[in-house]
Amino acid sequence: TKEQIQNACNKAHVECNRGMHRSTDLDDSLSGTTAISVYFHGRRNRITICNVGDSRAILGQRMDGQERPANGSSSLKAFPLSRDQTPYRRDERARVRATGARVLSLDQIEGLEPINPDDDDEEGDLELGEELDEGGDPPRVWSPHGEYPGTAFTRSLGDAIAEELGVFAEPEMVTRGVTPQDRIIVLASDGVFEFLTNQSVIDICAKFSDPLEACRAVVAESYELWLQYELRTDDITMICIFIDGVESKSLAGSFVSASSRLGSMEFSTNESSSEFEPTSPKDERGDDTVDALVTTEGLRPVRNHVSKEKS
Protein backbone atom coordinates (compact mmCIF):
# COMPACT_ATOMS: atom_id res chain seq x y z
CA THR A 1 0.00 0.00 0.00
CA LYS A 2 0.95 3.65 -0.22
CA GLU A 3 1.41 3.78 3.56
CA GLN A 4 3.81 0.82 3.55
CA ILE A 5 5.91 2.28 0.74
CA GLN A 6 6.06 5.73 2.31
CA ASN A 7 6.99 4.23 5.69
CA ALA A 8 9.81 2.29 4.01
CA CYS A 9 11.03 5.38 2.18
CA ASN A 10 10.96 7.43 5.38
CA LYS A 11 12.91 4.75 7.23
CA ALA A 12 15.51 4.58 4.44
CA HIS A 13 16.20 8.32 4.66
CA VAL A 14 16.36 8.34 8.44
CA GLU A 15 18.65 5.30 8.58
CA CYS A 16 20.94 6.77 5.93
CA ASN A 17 21.19 9.95 7.99
CA ARG A 18 22.05 7.97 11.12
CA GLY A 19 24.65 6.00 9.20
CA MET A 20 26.31 9.22 8.09
CA HIS A 21 26.44 10.39 11.71
CA ARG A 22 27.99 7.10 12.83
CA SER A 23 30.53 6.83 10.03
CA THR A 24 34.17 7.29 10.96
CA ASP A 25 35.10 7.94 7.32
CA LEU A 26 33.41 11.32 7.05
CA ASP A 27 32.72 14.36 9.16
CA ASP A 28 29.13 15.43 8.59
CA SER A 29 29.02 18.02 11.35
CA LEU A 30 28.91 20.84 8.81
CA SER A 31 28.38 18.93 5.57
CA GLY A 32 25.55 16.92 4.07
CA THR A 33 23.35 16.52 1.03
CA THR A 34 19.84 17.02 -0.21
CA ALA A 35 17.97 14.08 -1.77
CA ILE A 36 15.22 13.82 -4.37
CA SER A 37 14.03 10.41 -5.59
CA VAL A 38 11.19 8.69 -7.41
CA TYR A 39 10.03 5.13 -6.71
CA PHE A 40 8.05 3.38 -9.45
CA HIS A 41 5.39 0.98 -8.15
CA GLY A 42 5.98 -1.72 -10.74
CA ARG A 43 3.00 -2.33 -13.03
CA ARG A 44 0.65 -0.26 -10.90
CA ASN A 45 1.43 2.97 -12.74
CA ARG A 46 2.18 4.86 -9.57
CA ILE A 47 5.17 6.79 -8.35
CA THR A 48 6.28 7.99 -4.93
CA ILE A 49 8.41 11.12 -4.81
CA CYS A 50 10.60 11.65 -1.73
CA ASN A 51 12.20 15.01 -1.06
CA VAL A 52 14.73 16.15 1.53
CA GLY A 53 16.04 19.68 0.97
CA ASP A 54 15.85 21.96 -2.05
CA SER A 55 16.42 19.63 -4.97
CA ARG A 56 13.27 19.30 -7.02
CA ALA A 57 11.01 16.93 -8.98
CA ILE A 58 8.78 18.26 -11.75
CA LEU A 59 6.35 16.74 -14.22
CA GLY A 60 5.69 17.67 -17.85
CA GLN A 61 2.08 16.88 -18.69
CA ARG A 62 0.25 17.09 -21.98
CA MET A 63 -2.86 19.23 -21.62
CA ASP A 64 -5.65 17.70 -23.73
CA GLY A 65 -7.57 20.07 -25.93
CA GLN A 66 -4.91 22.77 -25.91
CA GLU A 67 -3.21 23.94 -29.08
CA ARG A 68 0.59 24.13 -29.27
CA PRO A 69 1.72 27.56 -28.04
CA ALA A 70 2.77 30.00 -30.76
CA ASN A 71 5.75 31.30 -28.76
CA GLY A 72 7.84 28.20 -29.42
CA SER A 73 7.34 26.60 -26.01
CA SER A 74 6.25 22.98 -25.77
CA SER A 75 2.69 21.75 -25.48
CA LEU A 76 3.57 20.28 -22.08
CA LYS A 77 2.73 22.08 -18.86
CA ALA A 78 5.07 21.84 -15.89
CA PHE A 79 3.74 20.77 -12.50
CA PRO A 80 5.76 20.42 -9.28
CA LEU A 81 6.05 16.97 -7.71
CA SER A 82 7.90 18.29 -4.65
CA ARG A 83 8.21 21.46 -2.59
CA ASP A 84 11.54 23.08 -1.80
CA GLN A 85 12.29 22.82 1.91
CA THR A 86 13.91 26.18 2.54
CA PRO A 87 13.35 29.20 4.81
CA TYR A 88 11.22 30.69 2.02
CA ARG A 89 8.42 28.45 3.25
CA ARG A 90 6.48 29.85 6.20
CA ASP A 91 5.88 26.40 7.72
CA GLU A 92 9.55 25.41 7.50
CA ARG A 93 10.69 28.77 8.95
CA ALA A 94 8.33 28.33 11.87
CA ARG A 95 9.53 24.77 12.44
CA VAL A 96 13.27 25.60 12.61
CA ARG A 97 12.65 28.76 14.63
CA ALA A 98 10.82 26.65 17.20
CA THR A 99 14.18 24.98 17.94
CA GLY A 100 15.80 28.38 18.60
CA ALA A 101 17.29 28.85 15.13
CA ARG A 102 17.68 32.27 13.55
CA VAL A 103 16.59 32.80 9.94
CA LEU A 104 18.70 35.54 8.32
CA SER A 105 20.50 36.25 5.06
CA LEU A 106 24.28 36.60 4.89
CA ASP A 107 23.95 40.36 4.48
CA GLN A 108 21.83 40.51 7.62
CA ILE A 109 24.37 38.43 9.54
CA GLU A 110 27.16 40.77 8.39
CA GLY A 111 25.15 43.90 9.22
CA LEU A 112 24.78 45.02 5.61
CA GLU A 113 20.99 44.65 5.67
CA PRO A 114 18.67 45.53 8.56
CA ILE A 115 16.92 42.86 10.62
CA ASN A 116 13.24 43.68 10.73
CA PRO A 117 11.89 43.18 14.27
CA ASP A 118 8.64 42.00 12.68
CA ASP A 119 10.39 39.21 10.77
CA ASP A 120 9.06 36.68 13.25
CA ASP A 121 5.48 37.63 12.41
CA GLU A 122 3.82 35.04 10.20
CA GLU A 123 2.83 37.49 7.50
CA GLY A 124 5.79 39.84 7.94
CA ASP A 125 8.50 37.32 7.09
CA LEU A 126 6.63 35.80 4.16
CA GLU A 127 8.42 38.31 1.92
CA LEU A 128 11.79 37.88 3.63
CA GLY A 129 13.63 35.78 1.07
CA GLU A 130 11.95 37.06 -2.04
CA GLU A 131 13.21 40.58 -1.38
CA LEU A 132 16.77 39.55 -0.57
CA ASP A 133 17.38 36.83 -3.15
CA GLU A 134 17.71 39.19 -6.10
CA GLY A 135 21.43 39.31 -5.37
CA GLY A 136 21.70 35.60 -4.60
CA ASP A 137 21.44 36.08 -0.84
CA PRO A 138 18.72 33.70 0.41
CA PRO A 139 17.52 33.36 4.01
CA ARG A 140 19.54 30.78 5.95
CA VAL A 141 19.36 28.80 9.19
CA TRP A 142 21.74 29.98 11.91
CA SER A 143 22.49 28.91 15.45
CA PRO A 144 21.46 31.35 18.18
CA HIS A 145 25.01 31.01 19.53
CA GLY A 146 27.10 31.83 16.46
CA GLU A 147 27.42 32.30 12.71
CA TYR A 148 26.89 28.65 11.78
CA PRO A 149 25.71 26.44 10.08
CA GLY A 150 24.11 28.84 7.54
CA THR A 151 22.17 26.27 5.53
CA ALA A 152 19.84 27.64 2.84
CA PHE A 153 17.63 24.53 3.22
CA THR A 154 15.65 23.21 6.18
CA ARG A 155 16.05 19.45 5.66
CA SER A 156 19.06 17.37 4.63
CA LEU A 157 21.02 14.16 5.11
CA GLY A 158 24.04 14.69 7.34
CA ASP A 159 24.54 18.23 8.68
CA ALA A 160 24.65 17.03 12.28
CA ILE A 161 24.96 20.50 13.80
CA ALA A 162 22.11 21.85 11.69
CA GLU A 163 19.98 18.89 12.77
CA GLU A 164 19.94 20.33 16.27
CA LEU A 165 18.21 23.36 14.71
CA GLY A 166 15.49 21.32 13.02
CA VAL A 167 17.29 20.55 9.74
CA PHE A 168 16.39 16.87 9.80
CA ALA A 169 16.33 14.07 7.22
CA GLU A 170 12.67 13.04 7.19
CA PRO A 171 11.30 13.40 3.65
CA GLU A 172 8.09 14.91 2.41
CA MET A 173 6.47 12.35 0.13
CA VAL A 174 3.91 12.34 -2.65
CA THR A 175 2.33 9.22 -4.14
CA ARG A 176 0.32 9.67 -7.34
CA GLY A 177 -0.80 7.79 -10.41
CA VAL A 178 0.96 8.08 -13.75
CA THR A 179 -1.53 9.08 -16.44
CA PRO A 180 -1.37 8.88 -20.25
CA GLN A 181 -0.96 12.68 -20.21
CA ASP A 182 2.26 12.47 -18.16
CA ARG A 183 5.23 12.66 -20.52
CA ILE A 184 8.36 13.84 -18.67
CA ILE A 185 9.65 13.57 -15.11
CA VAL A 186 12.72 15.60 -14.12
CA LEU A 187 14.71 15.21 -10.90
CA ALA A 188 17.35 17.90 -10.48
CA SER A 189 19.47 19.70 -7.92
CA ASP A 190 18.78 23.31 -7.00
CA GLY A 191 21.53 24.67 -9.25
CA VAL A 192 19.48 23.69 -12.31
CA PHE A 193 16.59 25.88 -11.16
CA GLU A 194 18.61 28.91 -10.04
CA PHE A 195 17.94 30.75 -13.30
CA LEU A 196 15.48 28.37 -15.01
CA THR A 197 11.81 28.00 -14.17
CA ASN A 198 10.10 24.61 -14.00
CA GLN A 199 8.37 25.38 -17.29
CA SER A 200 11.64 26.33 -18.99
CA VAL A 201 13.20 23.00 -18.01
CA ILE A 202 10.22 21.04 -19.36
CA ASP A 203 10.21 23.10 -22.58
CA ILE A 204 13.88 22.28 -23.20
CA CYS A 205 13.39 18.56 -22.48
CA ALA A 206 10.36 18.37 -24.79
CA LYS A 207 12.53 19.27 -27.78
CA PHE A 208 14.36 15.93 -27.62
CA SER A 209 13.52 12.27 -28.17
CA ASP A 210 16.49 11.07 -26.10
CA PRO A 211 16.35 11.87 -22.36
CA LEU A 212 20.15 11.96 -22.15
CA GLU A 213 20.28 14.67 -24.79
CA ALA A 214 17.55 16.52 -22.90
CA CYS A 215 19.68 16.39 -19.76
CA ARG A 216 22.71 17.67 -21.60
CA ALA A 217 20.76 20.59 -23.04
CA VAL A 218 19.28 21.66 -19.69
CA VAL A 219 22.60 21.33 -17.88
CA ALA A 220 24.38 23.30 -20.60
CA GLU A 221 21.77 26.08 -20.47
CA SER A 222 21.93 26.25 -16.68
CA TYR A 223 25.74 26.28 -16.72
CA GLU A 224 25.73 29.10 -19.28
CA LEU A 225 23.39 31.19 -17.13
CA TRP A 226 25.54 30.65 -14.04
CA LEU A 227 28.61 31.88 -15.90
CA GLN A 228 26.66 34.84 -17.25
CA TYR A 229 25.41 36.04 -13.87
CA GLU A 230 27.88 34.65 -11.33
CA LEU A 231 31.56 34.12 -10.61
CA ARG A 232 30.89 30.45 -9.83
CA THR A 233 28.48 27.61 -10.58
CA ASP A 234 26.38 25.63 -8.14
CA ASP A 235 25.59 21.92 -8.30
CA ILE A 236 23.91 21.20 -11.65
CA THR A 237 22.76 17.57 -11.62
CA MET A 238 19.75 16.14 -13.41
CA ILE A 239 17.84 12.97 -14.29
CA CYS A 240 15.24 13.07 -17.09
CA ILE A 241 12.65 10.32 -17.57
CA PHE A 242 10.45 10.07 -20.67
CA ILE A 243 7.13 8.30 -20.08
CA ASP A 244 5.19 6.36 -22.69
CA GLY A 245 2.91 3.35 -22.98
CA VAL A 246 0.72 4.24 -20.00
CA GLU A 247 -2.84 2.95 -20.37
CA SER A 248 -5.81 4.62 -18.72
CA LYS A 249 -7.43 1.33 -17.74
CA SER A 250 -4.54 0.45 -15.42
CA LEU A 251 -4.84 3.60 -13.34
CA ALA A 252 -6.29 3.50 -9.83
CA GLY A 253 -7.07 6.37 -7.48
CA SER A 254 -6.76 10.10 -7.74
CA PHE A 255 -5.23 12.85 -5.65
CA VAL A 256 -5.23 13.49 -1.88
CA SER A 257 -2.50 14.53 0.56
CA ALA A 258 0.49 13.01 2.30
CA SER A 259 3.64 14.02 4.07
CA SER A 260 6.02 12.97 6.83
CA ARG A 261 6.43 14.21 10.39
CA LEU A 262 4.72 17.55 11.02
CA GLY A 263 3.28 16.83 7.63
CA SER A 264 1.40 19.67 6.00
CA MET A 265 2.33 20.04 2.37
CA GLU A 266 -0.65 22.33 1.64
CA PHE A 267 -1.64 20.69 -1.61
CA SER A 268 -3.50 22.71 -4.21
CA THR A 269 -6.63 21.17 -5.69
CA ASN A 270 -8.05 24.08 -7.67
CA GLU A 271 -6.66 23.21 -11.08
CA SER A 272 -9.13 23.29 -13.93
CA SER A 273 -8.07 19.93 -15.32
CA SER A 274 -10.20 17.04 -14.09
CA GLU A 275 -7.07 14.98 -13.36
CA PHE A 276 -6.48 17.13 -10.30
CA GLU A 277 -9.89 16.86 -8.63
CA PRO A 278 -9.33 15.32 -5.18
CA THR A 279 -11.05 12.05 -4.39
CA SER A 280 -10.53 9.32 -1.83
CA PRO A 281 -11.09 5.99 -3.56
CA LYS A 282 -9.88 2.53 -2.67
CA ASP A 283 -9.05 0.37 -5.65
CA GLU A 284 -9.94 -3.27 -6.11
CA ARG A 285 -6.60 -4.36 -4.61
CA GLY A 286 -7.34 -2.65 -1.32
CA ASP A 287 -4.75 0.12 -1.61
CA ASP A 288 -5.37 3.54 -0.14
CA THR A 289 -5.43 6.89 -1.87
CA VAL A 290 -2.70 8.65 -3.75
CA ASP A 291 -1.67 12.22 -3.32
CA ALA A 292 -2.74 15.71 -4.27
CA LEU A 293 -1.18 18.13 -6.70
CA VAL A 294 1.72 19.92 -5.04
CA THR A 295 1.30 23.65 -4.56
CA THR A 296 3.93 26.17 -5.67
CA GLU A 297 3.43 28.29 -2.54
CA GLY A 298 6.71 29.11 -0.84
CA LEU A 299 8.75 28.15 -3.91
CA ARG A 300 12.32 29.44 -3.90
CA PRO A 301 12.28 32.32 -6.44
CA VAL A 302 14.19 32.07 -9.70
CA ARG A 303 17.15 34.44 -9.90
CA ASN A 304 16.83 37.14 -12.54
CA HIS A 305 19.39 39.69 -11.39
CA VAL A 306 23.17 39.86 -11.53
CA SER A 307 24.75 39.11 -8.19
CA LYS A 308 26.37 41.85 -6.13
CA GLU A 309 29.77 40.23 -6.55
CA LYS A 310 29.61 40.24 -10.35
CA SER A 311 28.01 43.66 -10.87
Side-chain angles (χ1 to χ4, degrees):
T1 66
K2 181 193 79 175
E3 182 179 1
Q4 290 173 323
I5 289 174
Q6 290 195 353
N7 286 341
C9 290
N10 184 75
K11 182 178 180 181
H13 286 78
V14 171
E15 287 300 318
C16 178
N17 186 58
R18 290 173 179 166
M20 292 175 70
H21 293 341
R22 290 193 300 262
S23 175
T24 57
D25 296 326
L26 62 91
D27 178 5
D28 74 342
S29 57
L30 287 170
S31 65
T33 182
T34 63
I36 186 77
S37 62
V38 56
Y39 172 79
F40 286 85
H41 298 216
R43 291 175 292 177
R44 302 199 57 185
N45 284 349
R46 285 189 180 182
I47 57 174
T48 292
I49 302 290
C50 300
N51 183 42
V52 174
D54 58 357
S55 292
R56 191 178 297 177
I58 60 175
L59 171 72
Q61 188 176 76
R62 188 187 70 228
M63 306 305 292
D64 288 337
Q66 293 189 1
E67 296 182 0
R68 187 177 183 87
N71 61 2
S73 62
S74 73
S75 58
L76 302 182
K77 184 175 181 179
F79 291 96
L81 293 175
S82 64
R83 291 185 66 196
D84 301 347
Q85 296 150 0
T86 74
Y88 286 110
R89 278 175 51 178
R90 182 193 296 121
D91 58 339
E92 290 290 282
R93 281 198 303 274
R95 186 176 60 76
V96 297
R97 278 177 169 159
T99 70
R102 298 177 295 163
V103 177
L104 301 168
S105 71
L106 281 171
D107 278 358
Q108 287 176 318
I109 282 286
E110 295 172 359
L112 302 176
E113 291 283 347
I115 299 175
N116 188 338
D118 296 327
D119 273 352
D120 286 327
D121 294 343
E122 186 169 314
E123 291 187 7
D125 87 340
L126 187 61
E127 303 296 323
L128 172 65
E130 294 159 13
E131 294 176 353
L132 297 177
D133 197 48
E134 290 185 351
D137 190 19
R140 298 174 180 271
V141 179
W142 304 93
S143 168
H145 308 298
E147 296 180 5
Y148 62 89
T151 62
F153 43 81
T154 53
R155 303 192 193 198
S156 71
L157 300 172
D159 290 304
I161 291 177
E163 190 169 353
E164 299 173 1
L165 302 171
V167 182
F168 57 55
E170 296 190 20
E172 288 181 312
M173 293 171 283
V174 173
T175 297
R176 55 151 288 167
V178 180
T179 75
Q181 288 73 39
D182 299 338
R183 294 306 176 90
I184 297 174
I185 295 174
V186 170
L187 308 177
S189 60
D190 64 310
V192 170
F193 299 101
E194 188 79 7
F195 301 100
L196 294 174
T197 65
N198 291 353
Q199 187 63 54
S200 296
V201 171
I202 292 298
D203 288 344
I204 295 172
C205 292
K207 297 176 182 178
F208 298 89
S209 58
D210 182 346
L212 179 58
E213 292 303 315
C215 284
R216 287 171 173 160
V218 172
V219 168
E221 178 69 13
S222 178
Y223 185 75
E224 184 78 17
L225 288 169
W226 271 101
L227 294 182
Q228 179 179 348
Y229 291 114
E230 277 284 4
L231 297 172
R232 63 182 181 90
T233 63
D234 200 357
D235 45 281
I236 306 172
T237 305
M238 174 178 161
I239 296 172
C240 179
I241 303 165
F242 285 0
I243 304 169
D244 54 31
V246 175
E247 299 178 3
S248 298
K249 64 182 181 181
S250 62
L251 296 177
S254 188
F255 295 79
V256 299
S257 66
S259 183
S260 180
R261 181 171 66 180
L262 303 169
S264 58
M265 288 188 67
E266 300 179 13
F267 298 91
S268 169
T269 54
N270 59 357
E271 294 291 331
S272 58
S273 172
S274 61
E275 272 85 28
F276 303 119
E277 292 301 318
T279 60
S280 298
K282 283 182 178 288
D283 66 24
E284 67 277 8
R285 289 157 294 196
D287 201 2
D288 51 5
T289 52
V290 290
D291 293 328
L293 182 68
V294 180
T295 181
T296 57
E297 181 181 348
L299 189 69
R300 176 173 55 86
V302 175
R303 294 266 304 281
N304 56 12
H305 292 269
V306 178
S307 71
K308 295 174 183 177
E309 293 80 2
K310 187 101 179 222
S311 57

